[in-house]
Amino acid sequence: TARKHPHFILPLPREGSSGAEIHFLQWSFPALDTATVVFTHLAEYKLRGEFSQPHTTITMHLELVEEKGLVLMQGQVLEGRGVNVEEARWLVLCLQKFYGGEEGDDVSRRRLLEKFSQGDETFKVEELVDEAEKIV
């Protein structure tokens, strides 16, 4: 799924606010058994594009997937970039729910991912926020 949909956005609900902050994520595959996801504030990505600075980096080590069914994840949250560890954890949880490869995944989440990747004009951020709120 990540190779097919390497870019996506995820909402981060803000305490005491009815809104959510939107974060851009991008997958890369530096080795056969490694996948990396970087998270950036969407506003910064819109402003700086490929030169934007990520606030969180997650590296997934896939060496044990076949043998043990495990993926080891290593995360780094950069201080002073506007996201704390708990908020980064929320984004990773959302990432797993939208990109999870298990049978029975929520069809509406998968549809949102596909619409975003295809640039479909019917993609609505409000629907994304609603789906993310259902996760917890």
Side-chain angles (χ1 to χ4, degrees), residues 14-79:
R14 286 294 178 193
E15 291 292 323
S17 169
S18 61
E21 197 173 81
I22 305 298
H23 296 262
F24 177 77
L25 69 88
Q26 181 173 0
W27 289 85
S28 64
F29 303 91
L32 274 173
D33 56 3
T34 306
T36 300
V37 183
V38 294
F39 291 91
T40 307
H41 294 278
L42 181 60
E44 177 162 347
Y45 184 78
K46 283 182 164 183
L47 182 67
R48 297 194 172 111
E50 64 186 61
F51 300 107
S52 60
Q53 296 293 312
H55 57 70
T56 304
T57 303
I58 305 294
T59 302
M60 297 173 204
H61 302 278
L62 310 171
E63 296 92 338
L64 299 175
V65 168
E66 294 296 320
E67 183 182 332
K68 305 273 186 191
L70 294 174
V71 174
L72 301 177
M73 293 185 0
Q74 174 185 3
Q76 180 180 14
V77 179
L78 299 175
E79 233 177 278

Side-chain angles (χ1 to χ4, degrees), residues 87-124:
E87 293 166 334
R89 198 173 286 152
W90 164 262
L91 289 170
V92 171
L93 179 62
C94 282
L95 172 86
Q96 290 173 317
K97 295 297 183 177
F98 278 91
Y99 281 88
E102 297 179 19
E103 292 296 319
D105 276 347
D106 192 312
V107 175
S108 56
R109 287 186 206 138
R110 187 61 49 121
R111 192 173 301 123
L112 283 167
L113 191 59
E114 291 169 354
K115 283 181 178 183
F116 182 84
S117 293
Q118 297 165 356
D120 190 324
E121 291 180 13
T122 63
F123 176 85
K124 300 218 179 323

Side-chain angles (χ1 to χ4, degrees), residues 3-4 20:
R3 289 185 193 276
K4 189 175 180 182

